[in-house]
Short mmCIF file of all heavy atoms in Angstrom, two decimals:
data_model
loop_
_atom_site.label_atom_id
_atom_site.label_comp_id
_atom_site.label_asym_id
_atom_site.label_seq_id
_atom_site.Cartn_x
_atom_site.Cartn_y
_atom_site.Cartn_z
N ARG O 11 11.88 4.59 2.09
CA ARG O 11 10.96 4.79 0.95
C ARG O 11 10.83 6.27 0.63
O ARG O 11 10.73 6.65 -0.54
CB ARG O 11 9.60 4.18 1.26
CG ARG O 11 9.63 2.65 1.22
CD ARG O 11 8.28 2.03 1.41
NE ARG O 11 7.41 2.38 0.28
CZ ARG O 11 6.08 2.29 0.32
NH1 ARG O 11 5.48 1.85 1.41
NH2 ARG O 11 5.37 2.59 -0.73
N ILE O 12 10.81 7.11 1.65
CA ILE O 12 10.74 8.56 1.42
C ILE O 12 11.98 9.03 0.67
O ILE O 12 11.89 9.77 -0.31
CB ILE O 12 10.55 9.33 2.74
CG1 ILE O 12 9.16 9.03 3.32
CG2 ILE O 12 10.76 10.83 2.54
CD1 ILE O 12 8.95 9.56 4.72
N GLN O 13 13.15 8.58 1.12
CA GLN O 13 14.39 8.96 0.45
C GLN O 13 14.41 8.47 -0.99
O GLN O 13 14.81 9.21 -1.90
CB GLN O 13 15.60 8.42 1.23
CG GLN O 13 16.95 8.96 0.77
CD GLN O 13 17.51 8.27 -0.46
OE1 GLN O 13 17.27 7.09 -0.70
NE2 GLN O 13 18.24 9.02 -1.26
N ALA O 14 13.96 7.27 -1.23
CA ALA O 14 13.93 6.73 -2.59
C ALA O 14 12.96 7.53 -3.46
O ALA O 14 13.26 7.81 -4.63
CB ALA O 14 13.53 5.25 -2.56
N HIS O 15 11.83 7.90 -2.91
CA HIS O 15 10.85 8.71 -3.63
C HIS O 15 11.45 10.07 -3.99
O HIS O 15 11.35 10.52 -5.15
CB HIS O 15 9.59 8.88 -2.77
CG HIS O 15 8.57 9.80 -3.36
ND1 HIS O 15 7.74 9.42 -4.39
CD2 HIS O 15 8.26 11.08 -3.06
CE1 HIS O 15 6.95 10.44 -4.70
NE2 HIS O 15 7.24 11.46 -3.92
N ASP O 16 12.08 10.73 -3.01
CA ASP O 16 12.71 12.03 -3.26
C ASP O 16 13.79 11.93 -4.33
O ASP O 16 13.87 12.78 -5.22
CB ASP O 16 13.33 12.58 -1.98
CG ASP O 16 12.32 12.95 -0.93
OD1 ASP O 16 11.11 12.95 -1.23
OD2 ASP O 16 12.74 13.25 0.21
N ALA O 17 14.62 10.90 -4.23
CA ALA O 17 15.69 10.72 -5.21
C ALA O 17 15.12 10.47 -6.61
O ALA O 17 15.62 11.02 -7.59
CB ALA O 17 16.60 9.56 -4.79
N HIS O 18 14.07 9.67 -6.69
CA HIS O 18 13.44 9.42 -7.99
C HIS O 18 12.94 10.72 -8.60
O HIS O 18 13.20 11.00 -9.78
CB HIS O 18 12.29 8.43 -7.85
CG HIS O 18 11.42 8.38 -9.06
ND1 HIS O 18 11.82 7.76 -10.23
CD2 HIS O 18 10.19 8.90 -9.30
CE1 HIS O 18 10.86 7.91 -11.14
NE2 HIS O 18 9.87 8.59 -10.60
N LEU O 19 12.24 11.53 -7.82
CA LEU O 19 11.71 12.80 -8.35
C LEU O 19 12.84 13.74 -8.74
O LEU O 19 12.74 14.44 -9.76
CB LEU O 19 10.79 13.47 -7.34
CG LEU O 19 9.40 12.88 -7.22
CD1 LEU O 19 8.58 13.65 -6.20
CD2 LEU O 19 8.69 12.84 -8.56
N ALA O 20 13.89 13.79 -7.94
CA ALA O 20 15.02 14.67 -8.27
C ALA O 20 15.67 14.24 -9.58
O ALA O 20 16.00 15.09 -10.42
CB ALA O 20 16.03 14.68 -7.14
N HIS O 21 15.85 12.95 -9.79
CA HIS O 21 16.42 12.47 -11.05
C HIS O 21 15.48 12.74 -12.22
O HIS O 21 15.91 13.16 -13.30
CB HIS O 21 16.73 10.97 -10.96
CG HIS O 21 17.88 10.67 -10.06
ND1 HIS O 21 17.74 9.92 -8.93
CD2 HIS O 21 19.18 11.04 -10.11
CE1 HIS O 21 18.91 9.83 -8.32
NE2 HIS O 21 19.79 10.51 -9.01
N TYR O 22 14.20 12.51 -11.99
CA TYR O 22 13.19 12.77 -13.02
C TYR O 22 13.21 14.26 -13.39
O TYR O 22 13.20 14.62 -14.57
CB TYR O 22 11.82 12.34 -12.50
CG TYR O 22 10.70 12.49 -13.49
CD1 TYR O 22 10.53 11.57 -14.52
CD2 TYR O 22 9.78 13.52 -13.38
CE1 TYR O 22 9.50 11.70 -15.43
CE2 TYR O 22 8.74 13.66 -14.28
CZ TYR O 22 8.59 12.75 -15.31
OH TYR O 22 7.57 12.88 -16.21
N ALA O 23 13.24 15.12 -12.38
CA ALA O 23 13.26 16.57 -12.61
C ALA O 23 14.55 17.00 -13.29
O ALA O 23 14.53 17.83 -14.21
CB ALA O 23 13.07 17.32 -11.30
N TYR O 24 15.68 16.45 -12.85
CA TYR O 24 16.96 16.78 -13.45
C TYR O 24 16.91 16.53 -14.96
O TYR O 24 17.25 17.40 -15.76
CB TYR O 24 18.07 15.96 -12.81
CG TYR O 24 19.44 16.18 -13.40
CD1 TYR O 24 20.29 17.14 -12.86
CD2 TYR O 24 19.89 15.44 -14.49
CE1 TYR O 24 21.55 17.35 -13.39
CE2 TYR O 24 21.15 15.65 -15.04
CZ TYR O 24 21.98 16.60 -14.48
OH TYR O 24 23.22 16.81 -15.03
N ASP O 25 16.46 15.34 -15.35
CA ASP O 25 16.40 14.99 -16.77
C ASP O 25 15.39 15.86 -17.52
O ASP O 25 15.66 16.31 -18.63
CB ASP O 25 16.05 13.52 -16.94
CG ASP O 25 17.17 12.59 -16.46
OD1 ASP O 25 18.34 13.03 -16.38
OD2 ASP O 25 16.86 11.42 -16.16
N ALA O 26 14.24 16.10 -16.91
CA ALA O 26 13.18 16.86 -17.59
C ALA O 26 13.55 18.33 -17.76
O ALA O 26 13.34 18.92 -18.83
CB ALA O 26 11.87 16.73 -16.81
N VAL O 27 14.08 18.95 -16.72
CA VAL O 27 14.45 20.36 -16.79
C VAL O 27 15.66 20.55 -17.70
O VAL O 27 15.71 21.49 -18.49
CB VAL O 27 14.70 20.92 -15.37
CG1 VAL O 27 15.28 22.33 -15.41
CG2 VAL O 27 13.40 20.91 -14.55
N ARG O 28 16.60 19.64 -17.61
CA ARG O 28 17.81 19.73 -18.43
C ARG O 28 17.49 19.60 -19.93
O ARG O 28 18.23 20.12 -20.76
CB ARG O 28 18.76 18.62 -18.01
CG ARG O 28 20.12 18.74 -18.60
CD ARG O 28 21.07 17.77 -17.89
NE ARG O 28 22.34 17.79 -18.56
CZ ARG O 28 22.86 16.76 -19.21
NH1 ARG O 28 22.22 15.61 -19.25
NH2 ARG O 28 24.01 16.86 -19.80
N ALA O 29 16.40 18.94 -20.26
CA ALA O 29 16.02 18.77 -21.67
C ALA O 29 15.46 20.04 -22.29
O ALA O 29 15.30 20.11 -23.52
CB ALA O 29 15.01 17.63 -21.78
N ILE O 30 15.15 21.04 -21.49
CA ILE O 30 14.62 22.30 -22.01
C ILE O 30 15.79 23.09 -22.59
O ILE O 30 16.79 23.32 -21.91
CB ILE O 30 13.93 23.12 -20.89
CG1 ILE O 30 12.80 22.32 -20.25
CG2 ILE O 30 13.43 24.45 -21.44
CD1 ILE O 30 12.23 22.96 -18.99
N PRO O 31 15.66 23.55 -23.84
CA PRO O 31 16.75 24.33 -24.43
C PRO O 31 17.06 25.58 -23.60
O PRO O 31 16.16 26.21 -23.05
CB PRO O 31 16.20 24.72 -25.81
CG PRO O 31 15.17 23.67 -26.11
CD PRO O 31 14.57 23.31 -24.78
N ASP O 32 18.34 25.92 -23.52
CA ASP O 32 18.83 27.11 -22.81
C ASP O 32 18.63 27.05 -21.30
O ASP O 32 18.59 28.09 -20.64
CB ASP O 32 18.22 28.40 -23.36
CG ASP O 32 18.58 28.64 -24.81
OD1 ASP O 32 19.73 28.33 -25.18
OD2 ASP O 32 17.72 29.12 -25.57
N VAL O 33 18.48 25.86 -20.75
CA VAL O 33 18.40 25.71 -19.30
C VAL O 33 19.67 25.02 -18.82
O VAL O 33 20.09 24.02 -19.40
CB VAL O 33 17.15 24.90 -18.87
CG1 VAL O 33 17.20 24.57 -17.39
CG2 VAL O 33 15.89 25.69 -19.19
N THR O 34 20.27 25.57 -17.78
CA THR O 34 21.44 24.98 -17.16
C THR O 34 21.02 24.40 -15.82
O THR O 34 20.44 25.10 -14.99
CB THR O 34 22.53 26.05 -16.94
OG1 THR O 34 22.87 26.62 -18.18
CG2 THR O 34 23.76 25.43 -16.28
N VAL O 35 21.30 23.12 -15.62
CA VAL O 35 21.03 22.47 -14.35
C VAL O 35 22.37 22.28 -13.65
O VAL O 35 23.34 21.85 -14.27
CB VAL O 35 20.32 21.11 -14.54
CG1 VAL O 35 20.07 20.43 -13.21
CG2 VAL O 35 19.00 21.31 -15.28
N TYR O 36 22.42 22.60 -12.37
CA TYR O 36 23.67 22.55 -11.62
C TYR O 36 23.74 21.28 -10.78
O TYR O 36 22.74 20.82 -10.26
CB TYR O 36 23.80 23.79 -10.72
CG TYR O 36 23.78 25.05 -11.54
CD1 TYR O 36 22.61 25.78 -11.70
CD2 TYR O 36 24.93 25.48 -12.20
CE1 TYR O 36 22.58 26.92 -12.48
CE2 TYR O 36 24.91 26.62 -12.99
CZ TYR O 36 23.73 27.34 -13.13
OH TYR O 36 23.71 28.46 -13.91
N GLY O 37 24.94 20.75 -10.67
CA GLY O 37 25.17 19.57 -9.86
C GLY O 37 25.20 18.31 -10.70
O GLY O 37 24.85 18.31 -11.88
N PRO O 38 25.62 17.22 -10.07
CA PRO O 38 25.75 15.95 -10.79
C PRO O 38 24.39 15.34 -11.11
O PRO O 38 23.40 15.60 -10.43
CB PRO O 38 26.52 15.07 -9.80
CG PRO O 38 26.17 15.62 -8.46
CD PRO O 38 26.00 17.11 -8.66
N ALA O 39 24.38 14.51 -12.14
CA ALA O 39 23.13 13.85 -12.55
C ALA O 39 22.70 12.80 -11.54
O ALA O 39 21.51 12.62 -11.29
CB ALA O 39 23.31 13.20 -13.92
N ARG O 40 23.62 12.11 -10.94
CA ARG O 40 23.28 11.03 -10.02
C ARG O 40 23.65 11.40 -8.60
O ARG O 40 24.41 12.32 -8.36
CB ARG O 40 23.97 9.74 -10.44
CG ARG O 40 23.54 9.28 -11.83
CD ARG O 40 22.05 8.93 -11.86
NE ARG O 40 21.53 8.92 -13.21
CZ ARG O 40 20.37 9.45 -13.56
NH1 ARG O 40 19.60 10.03 -12.68
NH2 ARG O 40 19.96 9.39 -14.80
N GLY O 41 23.10 10.67 -7.67
CA GLY O 41 23.38 10.93 -6.26
C GLY O 41 22.57 12.08 -5.70
O GLY O 41 22.90 12.65 -4.67
N ARG O 42 21.50 12.44 -6.38
CA ARG O 42 20.68 13.56 -5.96
C ARG O 42 19.70 13.16 -4.87
O ARG O 42 19.24 12.05 -4.83
CB ARG O 42 19.86 14.10 -7.14
CG ARG O 42 20.71 14.72 -8.19
CD ARG O 42 19.88 15.38 -9.26
NE ARG O 42 20.74 16.31 -9.96
CZ ARG O 42 20.95 17.55 -9.57
NH1 ARG O 42 20.33 18.05 -8.56
NH2 ARG O 42 21.79 18.32 -10.22
N THR O 43 19.38 14.14 -4.06
CA THR O 43 18.24 14.01 -3.17
C THR O 43 17.18 14.96 -3.69
O THR O 43 17.23 15.35 -4.84
CB THR O 43 18.64 14.30 -1.70
OG1 THR O 43 19.26 15.58 -1.63
CG2 THR O 43 19.59 13.25 -1.18
N GLY O 44 16.25 15.39 -2.89
CA GLY O 44 15.05 16.04 -3.38
C GLY O 44 15.13 17.46 -3.88
O GLY O 44 14.22 18.23 -3.60
N LEU O 45 16.15 17.84 -4.63
CA LEU O 45 16.15 19.20 -5.19
C LEU O 45 16.93 19.27 -6.49
O LEU O 45 17.79 18.44 -6.75
CB LEU O 45 16.67 20.23 -4.19
CG LEU O 45 18.10 20.13 -3.70
CD1 LEU O 45 19.05 20.88 -4.60
CD2 LEU O 45 18.16 20.68 -2.29
N VAL O 46 16.58 20.30 -7.26
CA VAL O 46 17.25 20.58 -8.53
C VAL O 46 17.41 22.09 -8.64
O VAL O 46 16.43 22.84 -8.50
CB VAL O 46 16.44 20.04 -9.73
CG1 VAL O 46 17.08 20.45 -11.04
CG2 VAL O 46 16.31 18.53 -9.66
N SER O 47 18.64 22.54 -8.86
CA SER O 47 18.92 23.97 -9.05
C SER O 47 19.22 24.22 -10.52
O SER O 47 19.93 23.43 -11.16
CB SER O 47 20.11 24.40 -8.20
OG SER O 47 19.80 24.30 -6.83
N PHE O 48 18.70 25.33 -11.03
CA PHE O 48 18.86 25.58 -12.46
C PHE O 48 18.72 27.07 -12.76
O PHE O 48 18.29 27.86 -11.91
CB PHE O 48 17.81 24.80 -13.27
CG PHE O 48 16.39 25.15 -12.93
CD1 PHE O 48 15.71 26.14 -13.62
CD2 PHE O 48 15.72 24.49 -11.91
CE1 PHE O 48 14.39 26.45 -13.32
CE2 PHE O 48 14.41 24.80 -11.58
CZ PHE O 48 13.74 25.79 -12.30
N ASN O 49 19.09 27.44 -13.97
CA ASN O 49 18.84 28.77 -14.53
C ASN O 49 18.32 28.62 -15.94
O ASN O 49 18.64 27.64 -16.62
CB ASN O 49 20.12 29.62 -14.55
CG ASN O 49 20.36 30.33 -13.24
OD1 ASN O 49 19.42 30.84 -12.64
ND2 ASN O 49 21.60 30.36 -12.79
N VAL O 50 17.53 29.59 -16.33
CA VAL O 50 17.00 29.65 -17.68
C VAL O 50 17.74 30.77 -18.38
O VAL O 50 17.70 31.92 -17.93
CB VAL O 50 15.47 29.90 -17.69
CG1 VAL O 50 14.96 29.96 -19.11
CG2 VAL O 50 14.76 28.83 -16.88
#
């Protein structure tokens, strides 16, 4: 359940951060665990 929760948040964050103009999110959209790397 912890892993599923982390994966859900990482996917949610990936989509939300990526939707910001001029933000680059690194790594694949799926198969994520609890982190998102990006640059503005």
Side-chain angles (χ1 to χ4, degrees):
R11 287 185 66 198
I12 292 172
Q13 190 279 330
H15 174 77
D16 292 351
H18 167 74
L19 283 181
H21 290 117
Y22 183 77
Y24 178 92
D25 292 339
V27 172
R28 190 168 174 246
I30 302 170
D32 297 323
V33 171
T34 302
V35 179
Y36 300 97
R40 298 296 161 223
R42 293 187 161 274
T43 55
L45 63 89
V46 175
S47 294
F48 60 92
N49 275 319
V50 180

